[in-house]
Amino acid sequence: MHEAYYTDSFAHDEATHWWYRARRRILSTVIRGIAFPAGARILDIGTGSGANLYSIYPEDAVLCGIEPSPDLAAIARKRGPIPVYVGTAEQLPPPVSSEVFDAAAMLDVLEHTEDDGLVLAGIRERLTDGGVLLITVPAYMLLWTAHDVAVGHCRRYRLRPLTRLLRTYGFGIERATYFNSLLLVPLAVFRIARRLLGAGEEGSDTKFGLRGLNQLLYWVFSLEQHLLKWLNFPAGVSILVIARKRLEAGPAVS
């Protein structure tokens, strides 16, 4: 089902759904606080229809995107001149597979990969020493529902195991926090209730009838762009980690 979702619905949801819109505001604020070199070369992995690519990164950055869906990659290319290649986090396409970047972003991508350690090892090889890796992922297997199946998730994460995994593969942690925290309780109740009641056995949460709440949820979630300037949340529906490539080599991965 997840292939149909990304072909038929993702571009529309990315443009209109409260979660995508508010997340862009939050990520833009977080990224402004990261120390990038001037003209940083940044690789956006899982570009989707390109909404992030043209809205959240520094204006002087030299950007490049990769996207598994040929249809979404084509939409992203139509937005402007930034190159977007068809490929995956597991198999970076040429010429990306031979280039080195100052930073890479995997924004709700790692949970889609079967072997997240292998992916992290591969991305590390594409970063300069001290290069930044920005990751967001969904939190808590307790919140697993048909939505995760519909969009192709392999897992949800907890913060400490994720940071341990990153350290294992040669990254130092600059910042690690939960987010989408203000809505944690209502969203958790919503998801768990749907699962227990057997509702929504197919399809993503974006198809559930919350359209009347779209703007309210957008504004509540967006408030976190200000709060994250000053604090890390102890719990939330999602996780954000800023990591940097350490100089020492990571473990060998076959």
Side-chain angles (χ1 to χ4, degrees), residues 27-43:
L27 290 172
S28 179
T29 299
V30 168
I31 287 171
R32 284 198 296 271
I34 299 175
F36 293 112
R41 293 175 53 79
I42 300 177
L43 175 63

Side-chain angles (χ1 to χ4, degrees), residues 65-74 77 83-88 91-94:
I66 66 169
E67 166 55 40
S69 165
D71 292 334
L72 290 177
R77 291 190 200 104
V84 177
Y85 303 98
V86 176
T88 66
Q91 293 185 337
L92 299 176

Side-chain angles (χ1 to χ4, degrees), residues 166-181:
L166 284 159
R167 290 187 180 101
T168 297
Y169 284 89
F171 291 93
I173 306 303
E174 192 164 282
R175 184 179 187 187
T177 180
Y178 287 95
F179 71 113
N180 199 357
S181 300

Side-chain angles (χ1 to χ4, degrees), residues 6 10 14 19-20 23-28 30-31 34 42-48 50-57 66-68 89 104-112 132-138 153 179 238-242:
Y6 285 106
F10 184 82
E14 195 173 33
W19 185 84
Y20 291 102
R23 188 184 66 152
R24 283 195 293 275
R25 293 189 66 175
I26 291 167
L27 290 172
S28 179
V30 168
I31 287 171
I34 299 175
I42 300 177
L43 175 63
D44 183 271
I45 301 170
T47 296
N52 288 338
L53 200 60
Y54 283 91
S55 63
I56 67 173
Y57 296 110
I66 66 169
E67 166 55 40
M106 300 180 66
L107 305 175
D108 287 81
V109 170
L110 194 63
E111 69 274 13
H112 293 269
V132 173
L133 176 60
L134 175 63
I135 289 179
T136 61
V137 293
H153 291 173
F179 71 113
S238 297
I239 294 170
L240 181 147
V241 179
I242 302 169

